[in-house]
Amino acid sequence: MKTICLYFEIHQNIHLKRYRFFDIGTDHYYYDDYENARSISETAERSYVPALNTLIDMAKQYGSYFKCAISLSGCAIEQLENHAPQVIELLQELNNTGCVEFLAEPYSHGFSSLKNPDCFREEVRRLCKKVKQLFGQEPTIFRNSCLIYSDEIGELVADMGFKGMLAEGAKHVLGWKSPHYVYNCCRNPKLKLLLRDYSLSEDISYRFNDSSWPSYPLFADTYANWIAQLPEEDQVINIFMELCALGIFQPLSSNILDFMKALPEQLRQRGIVFSTPSEICAKIKSSGDLIVEYPTSWVDEERDLSPWLGNVMQREACEKLYSVADRVRICQDRRLKQDWDYLQASNNLRFMSTKPNSYGGYRGIYDSPYDAFTNYMNILGDFISRVNNLYPAEVDNEQLESLFTTIKNQDQELAMKDKEIDKLQQMLAKLGPKAEKKAPAKKAAAKADEPAEKKAPAKRTKKAAAKAEEPAPAEKAE
């Protein structure tokens, strides 16, 4: 039986303001608040709110038949909490239907998985904690920024305890193989891989409203037929896209939401079901190892890292940023850590791309990739000077490693002490009622054992002692 894995990603670009060379050292605030508020509010109004309402309606209409998965970056969560809290509320309402699984991803939507494993682990832990706080779910499936995957990253994710990971079904990796099977990481078979069918995914997210497309206009029954006609052995069809495809990439006027509403019924008529990523990983066995020596992504025709690291400027900016990763990781300055998250966001490097076919050609406030590079490096210059003020550049890596080890040991000791405290508190809670019952009996026994002298009031004892010391009457007469 064929199953559909439908997944949506939510991430919001962080827009930086114009930052001149002469601002370095004097201005430590890097963001265009107006543009950040405007863009997230517009995206919420045009896409997130109507799309989530549609998914909620589908969940109520089809019950347990309809399922999907969603992941949010930490940057997106913060922007939504600040400027569009109604989106968080709709996500919680969708969660209450029981049809959605929330996945883990790096908090910053950056490239720490490529540059700094320790930083990467810390980011993922923070995002999982945030998901647990908002939705009560503990993610077991991982999705990397921009769907980036390689054997090395897969091994890292598996070591963190995740059961599965989403990746791109890139042609140059699969060769003759199909993306419609479950594979596993070649370095750790415990991590299962779900590969995106980029053709079926982009039929919805990119081509749906393209009047020059041969399949335009696309109807739900046609799309369901395409899936039903796939070979019987093709069990898993992974349709992954950004949530803003519903409303932004494909405007609401294209009837994209009506298409989505009609799709489950058409699929059900053809015996095709929906499953969450964790359900697929639990039920379906792996077809074998997938070898991905060089990182893949879900962007552009090449499906590689070229949109973010394809030219000298992008690589220079990335190396400069992650040169201070270890120092930022151990700092306790909340403002510095937030800046670190926002400066890692993938769009900062995307704006520097010189690829002619780079997605949409959108550059925010910048006139050119060189303009984006100059502005970003000015900001990075100020940020790095702030980091060096906390941990001077003269402190070598060996000293830092020693400090990291000390901090790690302290954290472990504190964790052990917390566990011991919890155990003692549980023991006290159990002994509490028994101790109260025994207390009166013990007090009574103690009173009975007291000598007569102790039982007498203190004042009376003193008077008796004074009387005993008085001289006899005869002695007084002498």
Side-chain angles (χ1 to χ4, degrees):
M1 181 182 289
K2 291 183 176 65
T3 185
I4 298 288
C5 181
L6 184 62
Y7 158 77
F8 300 100
E9 187 238 359
I10 298 177
H11 171 63
Q12 188 65 25
N13 288 344
I14 301 298
H15 296 276
L16 304 177
K17 69 179 182 181
R18 284 286 179 186
Y19 195 90
R20 310 294 179 185
F21 175 80
F22 299 103
D23 294 328
I24 298 174
T26 61
D27 182 5
H28 303 318
Y29 193 76
Y30 312 134
Y31 314 107
D32 186 338
D33 289 335
Y34 172 79
E35 182 59 23
N36 282 323
R38 185 206 63 78
S39 62
I40 188 66
S41 299
E42 181 181 351
T43 304
E45 182 182 351
R46 291 173 52 194
S47 173
Y48 294 161
V49 170
L52 288 171
N53 277 322
T54 298
L55 292 176
I56 292 168
D57 291 342
M58 292 164 69
K60 291 178 179 178
Q61 180 180 352
Y62 296 103
S64 60
Y65 171 74
F66 176 73
K67 295 171 185 176
C68 65
I70 292 176
S71 76
L72 303 89
S73 69
C75 293
I77 292 173
E78 291 184 12
Q79 293 295 303
L80 290 170
E81 287 177 333
N82 290 334
H83 305 296
Q86 69 273 24
V87 175
I88 299 292
E89 292 171 3
L90 287 172
L91 286 167
Q92 290 170 334
E93 186 178 346
L94 181 65
N95 182 46
N96 292 336
T97 66
C99 79
V100 63
E101 177 180 9
F102 287 94
L103 311 186
E105 68 170 77
Y107 194 94
S108 69
H109 201 266
F111 300 100
S112 56
S113 61
L114 300 167
K115 297 295 181 181
N116 192 298
D118 291 328
C119 181
F120 173 70
R121 293 188 193 94
E122 189 270 338
E123 279 197 70
V124 175
R125 280 194 292 267
R126 276 195 292 139
L127 195 282
C128 289
K129 185 178 179 181
K130 192 71 174 177
V131 169
K132 175 72 173 176
Q133 176 189 336
L134 288 174
F135 309 112
Q137 292 192 25
E138 294 183 0
T140 59
I141 308 296
F142 183 77
R143 181 261 182 201
N144 202 6
S145 309
C146 312
L147 219 65
I148 292 172
Y149 177 79
S150 69
D151 297 335
E152 188 176 352
I153 294 171
E155 184 179 25
L156 183 59
V157 171
D159 290 342
M160 294 176 68
F162 289 101
K163 306 299 182 185
M165 182 172 176
L166 309 189
E168 177 67 13
K171 279 184 181 179
H172 67 276
V173 170
L174 284 172
W176 58 269
K177 295 179 181 178
S178 168
H180 303 147
Y181 292 82
V182 174
Y183 297 93
N184 62 262
C185 173
C186 65
R187 295 193 182 184
N188 191 330
K190 291 182 180 179
L191 183 75
K192 291 185 177 179
L193 302 175
L194 304 183
L195 306 184
R196 183 177 85 126
D197 183 319
Y198 64 83
S199 180
L200 287 171
S201 299
E202 293 175 3
D203 285 341
I204 297 175
S205 60
Y206 291 142
R207 291 182 283 272
F208 183 82
N209 196 42
D210 182 1
S211 58
S212 65
W213 181 38
S215 298
Y216 176 86
L218 179 63
F219 294 101
D221 58 347
T222 305
Y223 192 82
N225 282 335
W226 290 348
I227 296 172
Q229 290 165 7
L230 290 169
E232 189 177 347
E233 299 79 17
D234 290 14
Q235 297 180 339
V236 181
I237 294 85
N238 299 307
I239 301 172
F240 304 162
M241 68 190 80
E242 295 178 70
L243 185 62
C244 60
L246 310 180
I248 301 295
F249 303 161
Q250 306 304 319
L252 298 179
S253 59
S254 69
N255 296 320
I256 183 66
L257 296 183
D258 292 331
F259 170 85
M260 294 300 295
K261 281 183 181 178
L263 190 57
E265 181 59 34
Q266 295 298 322
L267 291 169
R268 183 160 61 177
Q269 289 176 10
R270 290 159 179 79
I272 302 167
V273 300
F274 286 87
S275 299
T276 62
S278 61
E279 288 176 341
I280 292 172
C281 289
K283 293 177 183 177
I284 301 179
K285 292 182 179 180
S286 169
S287 297
D289 293 347
L290 186 73
I291 300 173
V292 186
E293 295 181 0
Y294 301 99
T296 57
S297 78
W298 70 350
V299 176
D300 289 349
E301 189 64 28
E302 297 84 357
R303 315 288 174 186
D304 59 10
L305 302 182
S306 58
W308 307 277
L309 299 172
N311 62 44
V312 175
M313 293 184 296
Q314 292 170 308
R315 292 191 290 273
E316 170 66 18
C318 188
E319 291 298 327
K320 193 78 171 175
L321 173 66
Y322 285 99
S323 68
V324 294
D326 288 329
R327 286 171 159 77
V328 175
R329 184 162 56 86
I330 64 171
C331 85
Q332 301 300 318
D333 188 321
R334 292 180 63 186
R335 174 74 178 277
L336 200 69
K337 280 191 172 286
Q338 186 181 56
D339 290 341
W340 169 247
D341 287 334
Y342 290 175
L343 291 176
Q344 285 187 83
S346 61
N347 62 283
N348 292 314
L349 295 177
R350 188 68 181 270
F351 291 155
M352 303 175 201
S353 177
T354 51
K355 289 181 68 176
N357 61 335
S358 187
Y359 165 68
Y362 177 69
R363 300 192 190 281
I365 63 171
Y366 307 117
D367 299 325
S368 70
Y370 312 101
D371 185 24
F373 174 73
T374 302
N375 199 70
Y376 185 75
M377 293 304 282
N378 285 341
I379 291 173
L380 207 52
D382 182 77
F383 177 77
I384 290 175
S385 70
R386 290 165 58 200
V387 174
N388 287 336
N389 286 337
L390 286 176
Y391 302 102
E394 291 77 19
V395 179
D396 59 27
N397 288 334
E398 288 185 5
Q399 290 174 299
L400 277 176
E401 283 299 328
S402 175
L403 183 57
F404 294 153
T405 303
T406 302
I407 292 172
K408 186 178 179 180
N409 291 339
Q410 288 176 345
D411 288 341
Q412 290 175 346
E413 287 177 12
L414 288 171
M416 289 176 65
K417 286 180 179 177
D418 287 340
K419 287 181 181 178
E420 289 177 7
I421 290 170
D422 288 339
K423 285 182 181 178
L424 289 171
Q425 286 177 339
Q426 290 173 4
M427 289 173 65
L428 285 172
K430 290 178 181 178
L431 294 172
K434 294 179 181 178
E436 287 176 5
K437 287 178 182 177
K438 289 179 180 179
K442 284 183 179 179
K443 286 179 182 177
K447 276 189 178 181
D449 292 340
E450 281 180 3
E453 291 177 2
K454 285 187 178 179
K455 288 180 184 179
K459 289 182 181 178
R460 191 174 175 184
T461 306
K462 286 179 181 178
K463 285 180 181 178
K467 229 175 190 182
E469 287 175 2
E470 281 181 5
E475 289 174 351
K476 281 184 180 179
E478 289 177 359

